Amino acid sequence: MSEISDFRSDTVTRPTPEMRRAMAEAVVGDDVLGDDPTVIMLEALAADTMGKEAGLFVPSGTMGNSVAVKVWTRELEEVIVEARSHIYNMESTHLTFISRVTPRTITSRRGAMDPDEVERNIRTPSVHSPRTSLICLENTHNSWSGAVIPLDNFRGLREVADRHGLRIHLDGARLFNAAAASGVSVREYAGLADSVMFCLSKGLSAPVGSMLVGPRDFIDTARRVRKALGGGMRQAGVLAAPGIIALTGMTKRLGEDHGRAKRLAAGIAGLPGVSLDPAAIETNILIFGFSHPRLTCAGLLDGLDKKRVLALAIAGGVRLVTHKDVDDEDVDRAVAAFREILI
Ligand SMILES: Cc1ncc(COP(=O)(O)O)c(C=O)c1O
């Protein structure tokens, strides 16, 4: 058990001792000049893992998504996004700020937009309105409590995109969680998108970094956009080295995190104030509504904090995330803390 059971996010994971050793020993060059061998290796590995032509190492998931949208779109265009998506809600408005496109939000069933509804929302080209050019998907879906988007839904959206000549960008920050939970390979999901961003620094426990993968000419332009946004990194091999371990070693253990999230959900569902269906917890993110006769969300988090359990308040509720650095005893401590505070 850790000194503090930190369930705020899977981004709090610390690099493993093996990652720290790999950082110390990494062979490096100057990645902006294109000769850092460890970055080159990571980018090739990322592309191959997703079945794409080329990859780009970026400092964050937000930069990966913003670069992708910038490359796929032009001004006067519109991008279809799911209403609760991270790209739309949590990335400081880069759709408008960087790409100067308008977002068109579509509501969904647990993150899966209905392909017919998406099709109805594609604009008819006209002098009055923006041209729809891109659909953004998210898998797993963070704000839908880590829901896995079914492959069939991807297929339906791909058909719509192809009928209308649109691109699909997948925010796969936690795509390996989706694969671990569903048994569908990351390649199958990636094969239905034109580009994919996935994060090394969340459940996969690397200290920094995300990958953007797609066609070679897309990545060539993405590399220029990354530079323009200040994301060119020099001896970046020290960061790519733990990324390689994340990608080759850490993907296999995500099922453990999912098991712990389910156990945590079973332990707190039904407690006073907690609105949570444990059957809806598919991966490592647990979100529940909170309405208690004598406690606010802030009061609950404060009580948990005093018992050395950290969680996050989100609109109308609370979020807990399992990851490498919380074990079964951390889950037991959290369940006990919830019971003591709420009953
Ligand atoms: C679904 C999703 N996409 C993108 C991001 C952005 O990643 P970063 O925090 O590395 O910018 C996050 C971060 O939590 C996320 O949950």
Side-chain angles (χ1 to χ4, degrees), residues 35-59:
D35 62 16
D36 186 304
T38 312
V39 174
I40 291 171
M41 196 187 298
L42 173 63
E43 291 181 342
L45 176 67
D48 183 57
T49 305
M50 294 288 162
K52 297 292 186 203
E53 283 176 5
L56 182 70
F57 186 39
V58 286

Side-chain angles (χ1 to χ4, degrees), residues 9-11 59-65 85-87 90-91 138-143 171-174 197 199 201-202 209-210 285 319:
S9 175
D10 46 10
T11 57
S60 68
T62 301
M63 188 179 283
N65 285 334
S85 63
H86 200 276
I87 283 186
M90 302 289 286
E91 298 185 3
E138 183 174 324
N139 198 18
T140 63
H141 200 298
N142 185 340
S143 296
D171 173 352
R174 296 181 182 81
M197 184 286 291
C199 293
S201 63
K202 301 197 164 56
S210 295
I285 301 179
R319 188 181 87 151

